[in-house]
Amino acid sequence: MMTDIVRTQAVQQLLDRAAGISGQAPGPRLNAIVRDLLEALMSVIERHDISESEFWGAVEFLGRGAGELGLIVPGLGIEHFLDLHMDAKDAAAGRVGGTPRTIEGPLYVAGAPLVDGDLTRTNDVNLTDDPDETEELTMSGRVSGPDGEPVENAILHVWHANSKGFYSHFDPTGAQSPFNNRRRIRLGADGRYAFHSKMPQGYSVPPGGAADQLMTALGRHGNRPAHVHFFIEAPGYRTLTTQINFGDDPHARDDFAFGTREGLLPVPDRSGGSPAVHFDFVLQRSASADDEAFSSRPRASA
Ligand code: MBD
Ligand code: FE
């Protein structure tokens, strides 16, 4: 049964009033966004003839799953879409080149130990505090700018899962120390970095949780390939949010969170026995103070 009531004057007036459009709206941007969201939702209800039972089932699901929205958003490709949107705006403005951005995900924790990683003074940094019976991962490279110049005084934020696919501060087994596999590494004038840690395993959404239920209902899975997350910030450069996913992982091209991108899928070199990744980062120059800041996404801290 197809009706078309969203376009009627009665529903259009309802939308204006519900979004606070007709009054003296203090924030016209918010009013306009809420109106468009409501209209899109109403159109979906009409197009798919969604029943009262189905609708309230969805409301109940979202309420129950609120604690996993940080997983549901990337799982539905919305976090990746935010990257595509920023990429498109950058391309239109001629801001191209450098290491691709990719999603942050929900598992960063602010306040990780800030360690000296200037390789003219010190050795490679260790990320792993807890015992973990698996291979050592080493990773190294340099951070440079658009003309190949070394980026001076960068801070490389790095975080990854352990060999069970669990992140410290979010480990359901409670087994990890705070900031295990998390560091902020202060680099020197040459932009070189090097760290070692324990090889992570890919993340999977918590079994039986809202994200898992949604993926199952869609005929999908909730697995990510093994990966390592980064923020890189440096004076004069645009803060980069990115990650590398291991190119030889079975999920390298089947990531439930759509965080894998070409150029960010290195295959570890195992010729020395344990996996080693060489990866160079290229930052864009900042055009404003905003570029050097982090987004104001709410983040855990410890
Ligand atoms: C992760 O570890 C992650 O990186 C993303 C994007 C989503 C869920 C878990
Ligand atoms: Fe992750």
Side-chain angles (χ1 to χ4, degrees):
M1 184 196 43
M2 192 62 195
T3 59
D4 192 7
I5 62 164
V6 172
R7 286 177 204 284
T8 61
Q9 202 186 18
V11 174
Q12 291 297 315
Q13 281 172 358
L14 172 66
L15 283 165
D16 284 341
R17 291 178 61 203
I21 299 278
S22 50
Q24 305 305 74
R29 177 175 161 78
L30 178 65
N31 301 87
I33 290 168
V34 168
R35 193 190 191 285
D36 280 355
L37 278 172
L38 291 174
E39 186 169 32
L41 178 60
M42 290 177 188
S43 297
V44 170
I45 290 170
E46 190 163 49
R47 191 177 322 131
H48 296 280
D49 190 20
I50 289 172
S51 71
E52 187 181 0
S53 300
E54 288 173 324
F55 180 79
W56 288 106
V59 170
E60 199 273 340
F61 171 81
L62 284 175
R64 190 166 32 86
E68 289 196 8
L69 279 173
L71 298 174
I72 291 169
V73 167
L76 292 178
I78 302 167
E79 194 168 351
H80 178 54
F81 181 78
L82 293 178
D83 283 340
L84 296 176
H85 175 59
M86 289 187 279
D87 289 352
K89 288 199 300 180
D90 281 355
R95 307 192 73 187
V96 295
T99 302
R101 60 162 61 88
T102 196
I103 60 174
E104 171 181 331
L107 303 175
Y108 178 77
V109 180
L114 180 61
V115 296
D116 183 8
D118 181 341
L119 296 175
T120 63
R121 286 201 299 256
T122 187
N123 292 326
D124 71 326
V125 169
N126 171 42
L127 308 187
T128 306
D129 301 314
D130 293 341
D132 196 347
E133 288 308 313
T134 188
E135 297 172 296
E136 183 174 79
L137 167 69
T138 56
M139 194 165 164
S140 59
R142 56 195 290 272
V143 182
S144 58
D147 296 317
E149 77 279 12
V151 167
E152 292 181 31
N153 304 320
I155 296 177
L156 183 87
H157 303 237
V158 52
W159 69 105
H160 68 71
N162 69 6
S163 70
K164 309 270 186 287
F166 296 139
Y167 285 79
S168 58
H169 302 265
F170 300 96
D171 188 332
T173 71
Q176 296 184 60
S177 307
F179 296 112
N180 188 44
N181 295 324
R182 299 176 185 273
R183 290 295 184 273
R184 286 176 294 162
I185 307 175
R186 191 190 290 284
L187 309 183
D190 61 6
R192 286 191 304 131
Y193 77 90
F195 61 78
H196 66 275
S197 63
K198 294 291 183 166
M199 185 67 182
Q201 191 175 86
Y203 175 90
S204 300
V205 297
D212 184 37
Q213 284 176 20
L214 179 59
M215 290 299 125
T216 301
L218 293 173
R220 296 182 49 200
H221 64 71
N223 305 312
R224 300 209 60 213
H227 60 277
V228 181
H229 294 267
F230 302 94
F231 289 137
I232 309 177
E233 51 174 332
Y237 292 88
R238 198 176 192 192
T239 297
L240 175 69
T241 301
T242 195
Q243 45 176 288
I244 58 117
N245 283 259
F246 295 98
D248 56 357
D249 188 290
H251 288 103
R253 283 173 175 77
D254 184 23
D255 172 11
F256 101 97
F258 307 99
T260 64
R261 303 192 88 169
E262 286 311 315
L264 299 173
L265 284 162
V267 175
D269 174 5
R270 293 175 178 276
S271 60
S274 53
V277 172
H278 184 91
F279 194 86
D280 293 330
F281 295 94
V282 179
L283 303 186
Q284 294 182 352
R285 292 209 183 91
S286 63
S288 67
D290 234 28
D291 279 349
E292 295 184 37
F294 284 61
S295 78
S296 62
R297 175 178 181 156
R299 298 179 177 92
S301 64

